[in-house]
Amino acid sequence: MMTEFSLTPLHPLFAARVEGLDLRRPLDEAQVAAIEAAMDRHGVLVFPGQELDDDQQMDFAARFGPIEQTRAAVDVQKQRLKHSAMNDISNLDEQGRILAADDRRRFFALGNRLWHSDSSFKATPAKYSLLHARSIPPEGGETEFADTRAAWDALPPAMQERLRPLVAEHSLIFSRAMLGFDAWTEAEARQFAPVPQRLVRRHAGSGRIALFLSSHIGRIRGMPVPEALMLLRDLTEHATQPRFVYSHRWAVHDLVMWDNRCTLHRGRAYDDQRFARDMRRVTLSDVAPTLDQVAA
Ligand code: OGA
Ligand code: MN
Protein backbone atom coordinates (compact mmCIF):
# COMPACT_ATOMS: atom_id res chain seq x y z
CA MET A 1 0.00 0.00 0.00
CA MET A 2 1.14 3.53 -0.71
CA THR A 3 2.37 5.38 2.39
CA GLU A 4 3.50 8.46 0.54
CA PHE A 5 1.42 11.61 0.39
CA SER A 6 2.38 15.12 -0.48
CA LEU A 7 2.44 18.01 1.99
CA THR A 8 2.18 21.57 0.72
CA PRO A 9 2.58 24.41 3.24
CA LEU A 10 -0.37 26.83 3.36
CA HIS A 11 1.27 29.46 5.59
CA PRO A 12 4.85 30.37 6.56
CA LEU A 13 4.41 29.05 10.13
CA PHE A 14 1.90 26.20 10.12
CA ALA A 15 -0.94 24.46 8.21
CA ALA A 16 -0.41 22.23 5.19
CA ARG A 17 -2.42 20.57 2.43
CA VAL A 18 -2.30 16.79 2.11
CA GLU A 19 -2.76 15.10 -1.24
CA GLY A 20 -2.42 11.54 -2.45
CA LEU A 21 -4.61 9.80 0.16
CA ASP A 22 -8.15 8.44 -0.14
CA LEU A 23 -9.50 8.66 3.40
CA ARG A 24 -12.34 6.21 2.61
CA ARG A 25 -9.79 3.42 2.37
CA PRO A 26 -8.22 1.84 5.43
CA LEU A 27 -4.89 3.39 6.41
CA ASP A 28 -1.97 1.28 7.55
CA GLU A 29 0.00 2.05 10.72
CA ALA A 30 2.76 3.80 8.82
CA GLN A 31 0.28 6.14 7.15
CA VAL A 32 -1.39 6.97 10.47
CA ALA A 33 2.02 7.65 12.02
CA ALA A 34 3.00 9.86 9.09
CA ILE A 35 -0.21 11.89 9.39
CA GLU A 36 0.36 12.27 13.14
CA ALA A 37 3.90 13.48 12.52
CA ALA A 38 2.56 16.00 10.00
CA MET A 39 -0.03 17.15 12.56
CA ASP A 40 2.68 17.61 15.20
CA ARG A 41 4.64 19.77 12.79
CA HIS A 42 1.85 21.73 11.06
CA GLY A 43 -1.07 21.82 13.56
CA VAL A 44 -3.65 22.03 10.74
CA LEU A 45 -3.98 19.66 7.78
CA VAL A 46 -6.34 20.21 4.85
CA PHE A 47 -7.37 17.09 2.89
CA PRO A 48 -9.20 18.31 -0.23
CA GLY A 49 -11.61 16.23 -2.29
CA GLN A 50 -12.53 13.64 0.34
CA GLU A 51 -16.08 12.47 -0.37
CA LEU A 52 -16.78 10.94 3.03
CA ASP A 53 -20.04 9.89 4.64
CA ASP A 54 -20.57 10.04 8.41
CA ASP A 55 -19.30 6.50 9.04
CA GLN A 56 -16.17 7.05 6.98
CA GLN A 57 -15.43 10.32 8.76
CA MET A 58 -15.86 8.62 12.15
CA ASP A 59 -13.67 5.67 11.11
CA PHE A 60 -10.86 7.91 9.87
CA ALA A 61 -10.98 10.01 13.06
CA ALA A 62 -10.89 6.93 15.29
CA ARG A 63 -7.42 6.07 13.97
CA PHE A 64 -5.98 9.03 15.92
CA GLY A 65 -7.46 8.52 19.37
CA PRO A 66 -10.68 8.22 21.38
CA ILE A 67 -13.69 10.05 19.95
CA GLU A 68 -15.45 12.41 22.36
CA GLN A 69 -18.85 10.90 23.07
CA THR A 70 -20.75 13.93 24.33
CA ARG A 71 -21.36 16.87 22.09
CA ALA A 72 -21.77 20.37 23.38
CA ALA A 73 -25.14 21.39 22.03
CA VAL A 74 -28.33 22.98 23.17
CA ASP A 75 -31.63 21.20 22.46
CA VAL A 76 -29.85 17.87 22.11
CA GLN A 77 -33.17 16.11 21.67
CA LYS A 78 -33.58 17.81 18.27
CA GLN A 79 -30.56 16.47 16.41
CA ARG A 80 -30.02 15.99 12.69
CA LEU A 81 -27.01 13.64 12.62
CA LYS A 82 -27.24 9.90 13.22
CA HIS A 83 -24.05 9.51 15.28
CA SER A 84 -24.59 11.09 18.69
CA ALA A 85 -20.83 11.70 18.89
CA MET A 86 -20.79 13.80 15.72
CA ASN A 87 -21.09 17.58 16.15
CA ASP A 88 -23.49 19.39 13.86
CA ILE A 89 -21.70 22.60 12.80
CA SER A 90 -24.44 23.56 10.33
CA ASN A 91 -27.22 26.12 10.22
CA LEU A 92 -29.81 23.39 9.62
CA ASP A 93 -32.55 21.91 11.77
CA GLU A 94 -33.43 18.22 12.12
CA GLN A 95 -35.50 18.42 8.91
CA GLY A 96 -32.59 19.97 6.98
CA ARG A 97 -34.20 23.43 6.89
CA ILE A 98 -32.28 26.62 7.61
CA LEU A 99 -32.60 27.53 11.29
CA ALA A 100 -34.98 30.40 11.96
CA ALA A 101 -33.42 33.73 12.91
CA ASP A 102 -34.63 33.37 16.51
CA ASP A 103 -33.74 29.69 16.96
CA ARG A 104 -31.79 29.05 20.16
CA ARG A 105 -29.47 26.65 18.33
CA ARG A 106 -28.49 29.46 15.96
CA PHE A 107 -27.53 31.76 18.84
CA PHE A 108 -25.51 28.98 20.38
CA ALA A 109 -23.74 28.22 17.07
CA LEU A 110 -22.72 31.88 16.72
CA GLY A 111 -20.27 31.20 19.56
CA ASN A 112 -18.10 29.33 17.03
CA ARG A 113 -17.23 32.70 15.52
CA LEU A 114 -15.24 33.62 18.64
CA TRP A 115 -11.62 32.42 18.76
CA HIS A 116 -11.56 29.15 20.68
CA SER A 117 -10.06 25.73 21.20
CA ASP A 118 -12.64 22.93 20.99
CA SER A 119 -13.87 21.41 24.24
CA SER A 120 -11.52 23.49 26.37
CA PHE A 121 -14.52 23.60 28.74
CA LYS A 122 -14.18 19.85 29.35
CA ALA A 123 -11.87 18.56 32.12
CA THR A 124 -9.96 16.63 29.47
CA PRO A 125 -10.11 18.92 26.46
CA ALA A 126 -9.87 18.05 22.76
CA LYS A 127 -6.87 16.76 20.88
CA TYR A 128 -7.84 16.84 17.20
CA SER A 129 -11.00 18.08 15.53
CA LEU A 130 -11.95 16.82 12.06
CA LEU A 131 -14.39 19.08 10.22
CA HIS A 132 -15.86 17.98 6.89
CA ALA A 133 -17.69 20.21 4.42
CA ARG A 134 -20.86 18.71 2.91
CA SER A 135 -22.27 21.95 1.56
CA ILE A 136 -20.95 25.50 1.73
CA PRO A 137 -22.26 29.00 1.09
CA PRO A 138 -21.12 30.80 -2.09
CA GLU A 139 -19.33 33.41 -0.02
CA GLY A 140 -18.16 33.84 3.57
CA GLY A 141 -18.03 30.99 6.08
CA GLU A 142 -14.25 30.64 6.06
CA THR A 143 -12.56 29.10 9.09
CA GLU A 144 -9.52 30.87 10.50
CA PHE A 145 -6.74 29.18 12.46
CA ALA A 146 -4.08 30.76 14.68
CA ASP A 147 -0.74 29.21 15.65
CA THR A 148 -0.48 29.40 19.45
CA ARG A 149 3.04 27.92 19.55
CA ALA A 150 4.32 30.75 17.37
CA ALA A 151 2.31 33.20 19.48
CA TRP A 152 4.00 31.90 22.63
CA ASP A 153 7.46 32.09 21.05
CA ALA A 154 6.83 35.72 20.13
CA LEU A 155 5.96 36.87 23.67
CA PRO A 156 8.58 38.82 25.65
CA PRO A 157 10.35 36.60 28.22
CA ALA A 158 8.97 38.60 31.16
CA MET A 159 5.41 37.98 29.94
CA GLN A 160 6.17 34.29 29.42
CA GLU A 161 7.35 34.02 33.03
CA ARG A 162 4.25 35.78 34.28
CA LEU A 163 1.91 33.47 32.33
CA ARG A 164 3.68 30.16 32.92
CA PRO A 165 2.07 29.24 36.29
CA LEU A 166 -1.45 30.52 35.54
CA VAL A 167 -4.60 28.41 35.57
CA ALA A 168 -7.72 29.56 33.74
CA GLU A 169 -11.33 28.50 34.19
CA HIS A 170 -13.27 27.53 31.06
CA SER A 171 -16.99 27.14 30.48
CA LEU A 172 -19.36 27.29 27.52
CA ILE A 173 -21.36 29.65 29.68
CA PHE A 174 -18.50 32.21 29.58
CA SER A 175 -18.09 32.13 25.78
CA ARG A 176 -21.84 32.39 25.14
CA ALA A 177 -22.13 35.21 27.66
CA MET A 178 -19.79 37.24 25.41
CA LEU A 179 -22.64 37.26 22.89
CA GLY A 180 -25.32 37.87 25.50
CA PHE A 181 -26.59 34.29 25.38
CA ASP A 182 -27.63 33.22 28.86
CA ALA A 183 -30.80 31.18 28.36
CA TRP A 184 -29.48 28.00 29.98
CA THR A 185 -31.60 25.27 31.43
CA GLU A 186 -30.61 24.08 34.90
CA ALA A 187 -29.26 20.83 33.46
CA GLU A 188 -27.08 22.73 30.96
CA ALA A 189 -25.77 25.06 33.66
CA ARG A 190 -24.74 22.00 35.68
CA GLN A 191 -23.20 20.27 32.68
CA PHE A 192 -21.14 23.34 31.77
CA ALA A 193 -19.74 24.22 35.20
CA PRO A 194 -16.25 25.79 34.81
CA VAL A 195 -13.18 23.55 34.54
CA PRO A 196 -9.53 24.52 35.19
CA GLN A 197 -6.92 24.48 32.41
CA ARG A 198 -3.34 25.64 32.27
CA LEU A 199 -2.87 28.85 30.31
CA VAL A 200 0.51 27.59 29.08
CA ARG A 201 1.09 24.00 28.06
CA ARG A 202 3.72 21.91 26.42
CA HIS A 203 2.58 20.32 23.17
CA ALA A 204 3.26 16.61 23.55
CA GLY A 205 4.07 15.81 19.93
CA SER A 206 6.52 18.64 19.27
CA GLY A 207 7.82 19.52 22.74
CA ARG A 208 7.03 23.17 21.97
CA ILE A 209 5.12 25.42 24.36
CA ALA A 210 1.72 26.81 23.38
CA LEU A 211 -0.62 29.41 24.82
CA PHE A 212 -3.87 27.70 25.73
CA LEU A 213 -6.42 30.40 25.02
CA SER A 214 -10.14 30.09 24.29
CA SER A 215 -13.20 32.29 24.37
CA HIS A 216 -14.48 29.76 26.91
CA ILE A 217 -12.17 31.27 29.55
CA GLY A 218 -13.97 33.47 32.05
CA ARG A 219 -11.51 33.66 34.94
CA ILE A 220 -7.88 33.21 35.86
CA ARG A 221 -7.30 31.77 39.31
CA GLY A 222 -5.89 34.24 41.82
CA MET A 223 -6.55 37.27 39.59
CA PRO A 224 -9.37 39.83 39.78
CA VAL A 225 -11.87 39.11 36.97
CA PRO A 226 -11.49 42.45 35.08
CA GLU A 227 -7.70 42.10 35.12
CA ALA A 228 -7.97 38.50 33.90
CA LEU A 229 -10.39 39.36 31.11
CA MET A 230 -8.22 42.26 29.97
CA LEU A 231 -5.11 40.05 29.96
CA LEU A 232 -6.99 37.41 27.94
CA ARG A 233 -8.14 40.04 25.48
CA ASP A 234 -4.57 41.24 25.00
CA LEU A 235 -3.23 37.72 24.64
CA THR A 236 -5.91 36.71 22.15
CA GLU A 237 -5.25 39.85 20.13
CA HIS A 238 -1.56 38.99 20.15
CA ALA A 239 -2.10 35.35 19.16
CA THR A 240 -4.48 36.17 16.32
CA GLN A 241 -2.43 38.80 14.52
CA PRO A 242 -2.51 38.21 10.75
CA ARG A 243 1.04 36.83 10.80
CA PHE A 244 -0.12 33.91 12.99
CA VAL A 245 -3.38 33.20 11.08
CA TYR A 246 -4.25 30.88 8.21
CA SER A 247 -7.71 31.45 6.73
CA HIS A 248 -9.33 28.41 5.13
CA ARG A 249 -11.68 29.03 2.23
CA TRP A 250 -13.77 25.86 2.06
CA ALA A 251 -14.52 23.69 -0.94
CA VAL A 252 -17.13 20.93 -0.72
CA HIS A 253 -15.54 17.66 0.54
CA ASP A 254 -12.61 19.34 2.23
CA LEU A 255 -11.72 17.62 5.46
CA VAL A 256 -9.75 19.87 7.80
CA MET A 257 -8.07 18.36 10.83
CA TRP A 258 -6.59 20.61 13.51
CA ASP A 259 -4.78 20.17 16.78
CA ASN A 260 -6.67 22.03 19.52
CA ARG A 261 -3.62 21.82 21.81
CA CYS A 262 -1.61 24.26 19.70
CA THR A 263 -4.08 26.22 17.57
CA LEU A 264 -7.10 28.47 17.96
CA HIS A 265 -9.86 28.74 15.39
CA ARG A 266 -13.04 30.63 14.59
CA GLY A 267 -15.73 30.54 11.93
CA ARG A 268 -16.41 33.62 9.83
CA ALA A 269 -19.74 35.17 8.99
CA TYR A 270 -21.90 34.19 6.01
CA ASP A 271 -25.54 34.72 5.06
CA ASP A 272 -26.90 31.93 7.26
CA GLN A 273 -30.52 32.90 6.63
CA ARG A 274 -30.10 32.32 2.91
CA PHE A 275 -27.46 29.64 2.33
CA ALA A 276 -27.03 26.19 3.85
CA ARG A 277 -23.64 25.44 5.35
CA ASP A 278 -23.48 21.77 6.30
CA MET A 279 -20.32 20.97 8.24
CA ARG A 280 -19.84 17.96 10.51
CA ARG A 281 -17.18 17.57 13.16
CA VAL A 282 -15.67 14.62 14.95
CA THR A 283 -13.59 15.51 18.01
CA LEU A 284 -10.89 13.46 19.71
CA SER A 285 -10.04 13.67 23.41
CA ASP A 286 -6.64 14.58 24.76
CA VAL A 287 -5.08 12.02 27.12
CA ALA A 288 -5.50 13.91 30.43
CA PRO A 289 -6.64 17.19 32.01
CA THR A 290 -4.08 19.94 31.31
CA LEU A 291 -3.55 20.46 35.06
CA ASP A 292 -1.78 17.10 35.05
CA GLN A 293 0.51 18.22 32.24
CA VAL A 294 3.63 20.03 33.35
CA ALA A 295 3.83 23.38 31.58
CA ALA A 296 7.56 23.83 31.42
C1 OGA B 1 -15.82 23.86 14.88
C2 OGA B 1 -15.84 25.30 14.60
C3 OGA B 1 -15.98 26.94 12.83
C4 OGA B 1 -16.60 26.99 11.49
O1 OGA B 1 -16.26 23.08 14.02
O2 OGA B 1 -15.33 23.47 15.94
O3 OGA B 1 -15.54 26.08 15.46
O4 OGA B 1 -16.05 27.67 10.61
N1 OGA B 1 -16.15 25.65 13.35
O5 OGA B 1 -17.64 26.36 11.31
MN1 MN C 1 -14.70 24.92 17.19
Side-chain angles (χ1 to χ4, degrees):
M1 190 185 282
M2 198 184 72
T3 310
E4 295 297 310
F5 51 83
S6 72
L7 274 174
T8 310
L10 293 166
H11 182 280
L13 294 169
F14 75 131
R17 184 171 61 239
V18 177
E19 280 151 320
L21 287 175
D22 179 349
L23 304 185
R24 292 172 303 194
R25 303 175 66 92
L27 300 174
D28 62 32
E29 307 254 307
Q31 288 172 316
V32 171
I35 293 169
E36 254 173 354
M39 282 296 287
D40 285 339
R41 161 71 185 83
H42 298 285
V44 179
L45 294 179
V46 175
F47 300 81
Q50 302 290 342
E51 210 175 323
L52 306 174
D53 63 23
D54 292 0
D55 294 331
Q56 290 162 333
Q57 186 179 347
M58 295 280 284
D59 289 347
F60 174 63
R63 298 302 305 275
F64 300 96
I67 294 176
E68 281 189 353
Q69 291 305 310
T70 51
R71 47 190 169 195
V74 292
D75 300 327
V76 276
Q77 70 283 7
K78 293 191 277 182
Q79 286 291 313
R80 187 173 67 96
L81 305 183
K82 74 167 182 181
H83 287 289
S84 64
M86 201 170 227
N87 287 271
D88 190 353
I89 312 293
S90 76
N91 58 334
L92 306 173
D93 70 11
E94 64 283 10
Q95 322 278 356
R97 295 171 308 211
I98 286 181
L99 290 172
D102 62 353
D103 194 296
R104 189 168 180 263
R105 290 169 288 181
R106 175 170 181 254
F107 301 152
F108 185 80
L110 282 168
N112 282 337
R113 297 198 199 163
L114 301 168
W115 286 107
H116 65 282
S117 174
D118 287 334
S119 300
S120 70
F121 53 84
K122 295 185 180 175
T124 295
K127 180 190 176 195
Y128 299 164
S129 292
L130 297 92
L131 186 62
H132 191 239
R134 306 294 172 88
S135 64
I136 57 170
E139 59 184 340
E142 298 84 2
T143 306
E144 293 180 343
F145 297 91
D147 180 346
T148 53
R149 292 180 294 192
W152 168 263
D153 292 344
L155 285 173
M159 179 57 107
Q160 291 182 340
E161 288 323 302
R162 182 177 165 215
L163 300 179
R164 225 179 257 276
L166 297 181
V167 172
E169 292 187 10
H170 297 233
S171 167
L172 265 179
I173 293 171
F174 294 141
S175 55
R176 272 48 188 177
M178 285 188 191
L179 299 178
F181 179 98
D182 59 5
W184 302 100
T185 65
E186 266 177 44
E188 288 165 346
R190 264 197 309 278
Q191 186 189 345
F192 301 131
V195 303
Q197 304 289 3
R198 289 186 175 281
L199 195 59
V200 176
R201 60 194 299 207
R202 191 174 287 280
H203 179 254
S206 63
R208 294 178 61 193
I209 294 183
L211 271 176
F212 191 32
L213 296 168
S214 197
S215 60
H216 304 311
I217 304 178
R219 299 174 200 139
I220 293 175
R221 287 189 173 170
M223 198 181 283
V225 172
E227 183 185 350
L229 294 184
M230 198 59 243
L231 174 62
L232 291 162
R233 213 180 255 227
D234 282 343
L235 289 173
T236 305
E237 202 171 293
H238 164 76
T240 59
Q241 294 172 72
R243 65 183 165 125
F244 299 131
V245 171
Y246 163 66
S247 176
H248 186 65
R249 167 90 208 128
W250 290 91
V252 171
H253 298 147
D254 283 349
L255 180 91
V256 180
M257 181 163 164
W258 64 87
D259 188 338
N260 288 290
R261 302 169 303 178
C262 60
T263 60
L264 283 169
H265 64 280
R266 67 170 176 182
R268 301 298 278 157
Y270 65 102
D271 189 345
D272 74 336
Q273 290 298 281
R274 211 168 138 207
F275 303 114
R277 182 176 187 265
D278 184 353
M279 315 282 283
R280 302 173 188 205
R281 192 187 85 209
V282 183
T283 319
L284 306 181
S285 303
D286 197 359
V287 292
T290 56
L291 286 194
D292 300 349
Q293 298 171 16
V294 180

